[in-house]
C-alpha cells in the first residue's frame, strides 16, 4: 500500500523524534520514498545527518535556504508528496497548523499542500489534555487532518498518561490507511460505547466499569475508513472522537431509544457495557440514613439492546456484539453469539489481573459464523483498526 509512494516526513521538536529514525527504515523497507524535513527544534533531537543517511535523501530544513529553493521550491516540495506526515507533532506545531501559520519551512509546506496530512502527536500529558490542544486537535480533524495516537504510557518527562507518540509500526499502518482507499465511504455505522448509569436516587446510580476507550477507538477507526458514524455513548471518562455524530445517553432505556433512532444503519458495533438491571423502586429524593436500617432495592431487567437489534425489522447487515468475560471466555462468547442473534462477538477477558479494563491494551477473540480468531494483545487503537478493516472486508 505504501510501496512506490512519496512521503514527506516532517520531524518536529520532541524527544519522540528518535522514533522517526525507525519509521524511516520501516517506510523504506515497505518501498516508500521519504523526503525528510527537520524543524529547527527537531534538529535538537535527531541529527539531520542520521535522518539523511537512513532516508537516502537530502534533508530540508530552512525555508530561506536558497539552494533548496533553486533545487525544489517549497510549493513543489509540498505537492510532490502523496502524503505529508508530521511526527512528532508537538503542541506548538499543532497550534500553528490549526491557526494556519507559515513561519518556517515545515509550516509553510503544510499550509501550501493540497495533499493529505497525517500527524502523530507527542507531548507531555498536561499539554495534551490542555483545552487549547483539545481545540487545536478538533480543528485539525475538522480540516481533514488524519491523526494517529497519542497513546498512553510512560513518558520521557517521568509522568504516565496520554501524550506519548504512537509507535513506528502504528504510524506505518496509519500511513497505509491515509494513502489507501476509504472502503466504508457511504456506509452508515452505529457504535455504542461506555457504561449506562441506572439511578438509585437523584445522586446515586449503579453502573458497569467501562472507560469507553475501546468503543471510542472503534468509532474513530471506522470514521478513518470513510464511514458515517453515529456514536451512542453512556457517561464515559474517555472523550468521544471528533468527526462522528455523538448521542450522549444515561440509562439502558435511553440507549435503546438512541439506537432505534439511529436506524437504518449498515453496521452496528455494540461495545457498550449496558447495565443488565435497573432499580425498579428508584427514589425521587436522596435516600437518607435512618435508624430503621438499610434501604431495599428491587431490580428489574433492562432491555437487551443487542438482542432486540439482531431481530429488528431494520436489522443492520452486520451486527457485532461484545462479551466481557472473567472465565470460559470463548465458550461463553460462542453461546452469546447464538443467544443474541448477532453475527460476530468480540470477546475479551476482563479479570482484574489482565489490566484490560480501564487500560490501553486489549486481547480479544473474534467469534464469527465460521470460527474463532485469537488476536494478540494490542493497543486498543490497534484492535479497533483491525476490527474496522475486517468490517470493511465483510461488507465488500
Ligand atoms: O449479556 P452481556 O451483557 O454479556 O452482552 C454483552 C453484549 O450485549 C454487548 O455487546 C453489549 O453492548 C450488549 N448488551 C446490550 N443490552 C444489554 C446488555 C448487553 O445491548 N442490556
Amino acid at each position: 500500500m505504501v510501496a512506490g509512494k512519496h512521503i514527506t516526513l516532517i520531524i518536529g521538536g520532541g524527544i519522540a523524534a528518535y522514533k522517526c529514525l525507525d519509521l524511516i527504515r520501516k517506510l523504506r523497507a515497505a518501498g516508500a520514498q521519504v523526503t525528510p524535513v527537520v524543524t529547527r527544534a527537531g534538529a535538537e533531537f535527531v541529527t539531520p545527518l542520521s535522518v539523511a543517511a537512513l532516508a537516502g535523501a537530502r534533508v530540508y530544513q530552512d525555508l530561506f535556504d536558497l539552494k533548496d529553493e533553486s533545487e525544489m521550491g517549497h510549493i513543489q516540495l509540498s505537492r510532490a508528496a502523496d502524503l505529508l506526515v508530521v511526527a512528532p507533532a508537538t503542541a506548538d506545531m499543532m497550534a500553528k497548523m490549526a491557526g494556519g501559520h507559515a513561519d518556517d519551512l515545515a509550516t509553510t509546506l503544510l499550509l501550501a499542500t493540497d495533499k493529505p496530512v497525517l500527524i502523530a502527536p507527542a507531548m507531555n500529558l498536561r499539554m495534551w489534555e490542555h483545552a487549547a490542544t483539545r481545540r487545536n486537535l478538533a480543528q485539525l480533524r475538522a480540516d481533514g487532518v488524519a491523526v494517529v495516537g497519542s497513546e498512553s504510557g510512560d513518558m520521557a518527562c517521568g509522568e504516565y498518561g496520554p501524550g506519548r507518540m504512537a509507535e513506528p509500526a502504528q504510524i506505518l499502518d496509519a500511513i497505509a490507511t491515509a494513502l489507501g482507499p476509504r472502503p466504508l465511504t457511504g456506509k452508515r455505522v452505529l457504535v455504542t460505547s461506555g457504561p449506562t448509569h441506572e439511578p438509585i436516587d437523584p445522586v446515586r446510580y449503579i453502573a458497569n466499569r467501562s472507560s469507553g476507550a475501546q468503543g471510542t477507538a472503534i468509532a474513530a477507526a471506522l470514521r478513518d475508513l470513510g464511514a458515517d458514524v453515529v456514536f451512542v455513548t453512556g457517561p464515559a471518562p474517555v472523550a468521544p472522537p471528533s468527526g462522528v455524530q455523538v448521542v450522549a445517553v444515561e440509562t439502558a432505556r435511553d440507549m435503546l431509544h438512541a439506537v432505534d433512532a439511529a436506524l437504518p444503519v449498515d453496521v452496528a458495533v455494540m461495545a457498550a457495557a449496558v447495565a443488565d438491571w435497573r432499580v425498579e423502586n428508584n427514589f425521587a429524593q436522596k435516600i437518607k440514613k435512618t435508624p430503621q436500617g438499610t434501604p431495599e432495592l428491587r431490580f428489574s431487567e433492562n432491555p437487551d439492546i443487542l438482542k432486540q437489534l439482531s431481530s429488528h425489522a431494520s436489522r443492520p447487515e452486520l451486527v457485532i456484539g461484545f462479551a466481557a468475560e472473567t472465565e470460559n471466555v470463548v465458550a461463553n462468547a460462542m453461546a452469546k453469539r447464538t443467544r443474541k442473534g448477532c453475527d460476530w462477538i468480540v470477546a475479551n477477558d476482563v479479570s482484574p489481573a489482565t489490566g484490560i479494563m480501564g487500560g490501553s491494551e486489549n486481547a480479544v477473540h473474534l467469534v464469527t459464523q465460521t470460527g474463532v480468531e485469537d488476536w494478540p494483545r494490542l493497543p486498543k487503537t490497534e484492535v479497533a483498526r483491525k476490527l474496522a478493516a475486517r468490517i470493511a472486508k465483510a461488507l465488500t
Side-chain angles (χ1 to χ4, degrees):
M1 273 175 283
V2 299
K5 300 289 185 185
H6 288 67
I7 311 292
T8 293
L9 175 64
I10 297 171
I11 303 178
I15 183 65
Y18 78 91
K19 293 186 188 173
C20 285
L21 300 177
D22 188 26
L23 176 62
I24 293 171
R25 284 166 53 107
K26 285 188 159 56
L27 278 167
R28 292 199 69 205
Q33 191 176 320
V34 182
T35 302
V37 174
V38 180
T39 66
R40 189 185 297 263
E44 301 287 335
F45 292 92
V46 286
T47 72
L49 189 61
S50 9
V51 173
L54 287 168
R58 69 156 301 166
V59 174
Y60 292 87
Q61 285 185 267
D62 195 343
L63 184 58
F64 299 107
D65 182 341
L66 286 179
K67 194 163 173 297
D68 288 358
E69 285 295 308
S70 59
E71 275 181 11
M72 192 190 252
H74 65 267
I75 301 290
Q76 201 189 337
L77 185 58
S78 72
R79 297 194 178 169
D82 294 300
L83 176 73
L84 275 69
V85 179
V86 186
T90 60
D92 181 58
M93 175 66 90
M94 286 171 57
K96 283 181 170 160
M97 288 174 72
H101 291 229
D103 60 0
D104 63 4
L105 177 59
T107 49
T108 304
L109 292 180
L110 288 161
L111 198 63
T113 193
D114 57 355
K115 294 294 161 40
V117 175
L118 169 73
I119 63 170
M123 66 200 70
N124 166 272
L125 77 99
R126 280 173 228 294
M127 294 169 83
W128 174 249
E129 283 167 354
H130 195 283
T133 306
R134 303 281 93 205
R135 249 190 337 264
N136 292 333
L137 185 64
Q139 183 61 58
L140 290 169
R141 285 197 198 271
D143 292 345
V145 170
V147 182
V148 52
S150 69
E151 300 299 323
S152 285
D154 287 321
M155 307 187 71
C157 52
E159 293 189 272
Y160 180 92
R164 203 169 110 134
M165 191 168 87
E167 293 303 319
Q170 229 180 309
I171 300 176
L172 187 65
D173 282 350
I175 290 173
T177 304
L179 286 169
R182 289 160 61 84
L184 293 178
T185 303
K187 299 289 181 193
R188 188 170 155 84
V189 180
L190 165 73
V191 178
T192 68
S193 180
T196 63
H197 284 185
E198 311 295 334
I200 296 171
D201 68 17
V203 298
R204 304 182 180 94
Y205 58 83
I206 58 166
N208 288 352
R209 289 186 205 277
S210 169
S211 65
Q214 188 63 81
T216 299
I218 290 168
L222 291 162
R223 173 206 62 202
D224 288 348
L225 294 189
D228 182 7
V229 179
V230 184
F231 185 67
V232 176
T233 177
V238 170
S242 58
V244 304
Q245 186 196 330
V246 179
V247 184
V249 299
E250 188 93 12
T251 66
R253 286 183 296 173
D254 294 343
M255 189 170 273
L256 176 67
H257 289 138
V259 165
D260 273 342
L263 299 178
V265 297
D266 298 287
V267 182
V269 185
M270 312 293 277
V274 183
D276 288 320
W277 305 279
R278 65 178 176 277
V279 181
E280 197 180 70
N281 57 336
N282 71 76
F283 296 73
Q285 305 299 331
K286 184 180 171 191
I287 307 168
K288 296 287 187 200
K289 277 190 268 187
T290 64
Q292 280 76 47
T294 53
E296 297 238 330
L297 301 181
R298 261 195 336 273
F299 290 95
S300 60
E301 203 167 322
N302 267 331
D304 191 320
I305 307 167
L306 174 62
K307 197 167 175 181
Q308 289 196 20
L309 185 66
S310 298
S311 59
H312 200 283
S314 316
R315 186 194 197 275
E317 187 182 335
L318 183 61
V319 178
I320 305 172
F322 276 66
E325 303 287 348
T326 53
E327 56 185 354
N328 303 326
V329 178
V330 171
N332 281 335
M334 289 171 88
K336 192 166 288 178
R337 197 185 78 80
T338 316
R339 197 168 64 243
K340 302 257 189 178
C342 57
D343 301 298
W344 300 353
I345 287 274
V346 179
N348 61 1
D349 184 347
V350 292
S351 314
T354 64
I356 283 172
M357 204 141 52
S360 63
E361 292 184 336
N362 206 352
V364 309
H365 309 272
L366 182 65
V367 179
T368 70
Q369 302 89 330
T370 50
V372 182
E373 289 172 29
D374 303 319
W375 293 4
R377 192 178 171 109
L378 294 165
K380 287 182 177 170
T381 47
E382 216 33 55
V383 170
R385 263 192 281 276
K386 256 174 93 87
L387 185 66
R390 277 300 300 265
I391 291 170
K393 207 167 143 205
L395 291 195
T396 49

